[in-house]
Amino acid sequence: MSTEKKYGNWMLIAVAMLLFGTAIATVQYKVPVVMGDIMVNMNMDANSASWLMSIFTFVGIILALPTGALAKKFGPKTMLLAAAVVIAIGSLLGAFAGNGTILIVSRAIEGVAFIFVTICGPLAVQKYVAPDKIGSATGIWALWVCLGSVLGGVLTPTLYTATGFVGVWVIYAAAAVIFAIVVAVIVKDPSKALEEATAAAEAAPAEEKVSYGELVKPNILLFYFAFLVFNMTLLAVLGFAPTFMQQQGVDPTLSGFISTLPMLLAVISSPLFGTLSDKMGRCKPLYILALLVMGPCTLILLTQTGPLMWVGAIVMGLIGLGGPVMCLTSYINVLGRPELMSIGMGVLMMVQSIGQFLGTWLVPILLGPDMSAWMTTGIVMCVIGLIGTAALALCKFK
């Protein structure tokens, strides 16, 4: 009896997961555009209100490793469905929060769901999609945060006006639950002959244990450092490029658009890089190319206005933002053993969170108290980006 795995339609799986992931990311990004009203209604000052977004980063750092372990025990699909339950609980608590403290707690709960999806989404692609389509599927899946951030920014003001605070919180949670049901129906384990699978399970020895110590190898550490650098440079642009542009007289709306343009262009670069990697059978050349442009583009976007500013944003979006999908697609090859993917994904997402934190922590220090040392900051971030590229070039993977 054949035990060949029969994978489902990779495009259908990728789109179903993308819709769910986008719904989860929209929940994260619903706050910034209505922050002012929330501060008034909840009697929150600027410092406490900032936690409504930053709590997500801290939750990611704290829960990344445990989530990887849970994914190994229960499977990525189960954890994705659990994320829908958690997001519903957090959103309902937030919808009826009576004060800022409870609202922050509710955002922390929503952040738990976000880290579940961040870690288990790539694991689900690796498990449920045919090996020769993993790059293409990951290219689609990797758009979830980009699309969620855009939808959160565009839809929330209209929904807030029409339905109020409670309506926004409940509608977004309901969308996440609905798309989770779609995932439950469409995303299935590749089928095997039941009798042979059962016999193999009974005959197999106890599952080999994996440890975090296996991840502390020079090759894997080089890979982590490169991904950390990618996130540092990206957050430097997203967090501080608008401030520089506005200091130079660029309209606030235009500065916001330009700084987020790379994320919008990821809609092109992410699927393209994924498809190319499948056709080439290699990820490393594409990943190196993506990381190579991040440093110079960061320098441009922190120091230039006019045509160069647009060039930096477009190149970062069309080439640099192909990096995450290459990282996720090649990661299993770097680890060497599929058994390490669950705990490994937890570590990778912790690296991502640390990189994002460092990107927002280092830039203000480099800028100085008067926020004026933009050229120095841009050069330092460019050098860091190039060092990260060198580390990736030294890393051994396909």
Side-chain angles (χ1 to χ4, degrees):
M1 185 180 296
S2 174
T3 60
E4 182 180 355
K5 293 183 178 181
K6 297 179 181 178
Y7 292 92
N9 184 292
W10 71 269
M11 177 71 77
L12 197 59
I13 293 172
V15 170
M17 291 180 53
L18 174 62
L19 292 172
F20 174 59
T22 300
I24 295 292
T26 304
V27 169
Q28 180 187 6
Y29 289 99
K30 66 190 175 185
V31 165
V33 289
V34 293
M35 182 79 81
D37 283 339
I38 292 175
M39 291 173 64
V40 173
N41 295 335
M42 295 291 178
N43 194 27
M44 302 175 73
D45 58 27
N47 183 57
S48 60
S50 68
W51 279 97
L52 293 175
M53 285 301 293
S54 61
I55 193 69
F56 276 81
T57 302
F58 287 98
V59 168
I61 293 173
I62 295 170
L63 292 184
L65 297 184
T67 299
L70 289 172
K72 179 173 177 57
K73 182 175 181 179
F74 296 107
K77 181 179 177 180
T78 299
M79 294 298 293
L80 291 175
L81 300 181
V85 175
V86 173
I87 210 77
I89 294 171
S91 294
L92 288 175
L93 178 63
F96 300 102
N99 56 63
T101 300
I102 295 177
L103 186 59
I104 291 172
V105 171
S106 76
R107 293 289 287 168
I109 295 172
E110 292 173 347
V112 172
F114 186 83
I115 196 65
F116 280 8
V117 175
T118 300
I119 291 174
C120 298
L123 292 175
V125 172
Q126 294 280 347
K127 182 173 182 179
Y128 306 128
V129 173
D132 62 336
K133 292 297 182 182
I134 286 176
S136 300
T138 303
I140 294 174
W141 159 252
L143 296 173
W144 68 288
V145 174
C146 300
L147 294 180
S149 63
V150 172
L151 288 176
V154 172
L155 294 181
T156 300
T158 302
L159 281 177
Y160 192 85
T161 300
T163 66
F165 175 86
V166 174
V168 171
W169 260 242
V170 172
I171 289 171
Y172 285 166
V177 171
I178 290 170
F179 287 125
I181 294 172
V182 174
V183 169
V185 172
I186 291 178
V187 180
K188 298 184 182 298
D189 279 313
S191 59
K192 289 184 178 181
L194 181 60
E195 295 84 1
E196 290 194 25
T198 303
E202 292 175 349
E207 182 180 358
E208 184 179 355
K209 291 185 177 181
V210 295
S211 70
Y212 288 101
E214 295 183 66
L215 304 179
V216 187
K217 296 177 180 178
N219 200 57
I220 298 176
L221 293 177
L222 286 170
F223 191 83
Y224 288 154
F225 179 73
F227 192 53
L228 181 141
V229 166
F230 173 87
N231 284 281
M232 285 184 66
T233 52
L234 179 62
L235 264 291
V237 169
L238 295 178
F240 298 95
T243 302
F244 164 74
M245 294 174 193
Q246 290 171 34
Q247 285 185 6
Q248 305 304 311
V250 177
D251 178 76
T253 301
L254 180 59
S255 70
F257 173 76
I258 295 171
S259 63
T260 56
L261 182 59
M263 300 289 280
L264 295 175
L265 292 176
V267 174
I268 299 173
S269 59
S270 187
L272 176 62
F273 272 55
T275 300
L276 286 175
S277 70
D278 281 342
K279 292 184 178 298
M280 294 168 58
R282 302 184 67 194
C283 295
K284 186 173 181 178
L286 294 170
Y287 194 5
I288 289 176
L289 175 63
L291 191 54
L292 180 63
V293 307
M294 289 299 293
C297 287
T298 301
L299 171 61
I300 290 173
L301 289 168
L302 293 181
T303 61
Q304 303 294 319
T305 56
L308 270 179
M309 172 179 68
W310 288 97
V311 171
I314 292 171
V315 171
M316 179 178 281
L318 292 180
I319 299 178
L321 267 293
V325 64
M326 291 298 90
C327 175
L328 295 173
T329 305
S330 61
Y331 189 36
I332 191 169
N333 181 256
V334 175
L335 294 178
R337 289 207 297 141
E339 296 85 357
L340 292 171
M341 271 298 287
S342 293
I343 64 169
M345 190 58 66
V347 174
L348 186 67
M349 292 305 105
M350 183 179 70
V351 169
Q352 173 179 288
S353 297
I354 294 173
Q356 292 176 352
F357 172 77
L358 290 175
T360 56
W361 171 79
L362 179 61
V363 170
I365 295 175
L366 294 172
L367 287 174
D370 58 352
M371 299 283 286
S372 62
W374 290 103
M375 183 59 70
T376 299
T377 302
I379 291 173
V380 170
M381 295 308 298
C382 181
V383 170
I384 290 174
L386 295 176
I387 292 173
T389 306
L392 186 65
L394 292 173
C395 183
K396 297 178 181 178
F397 66 103
K398 288 202 303 178

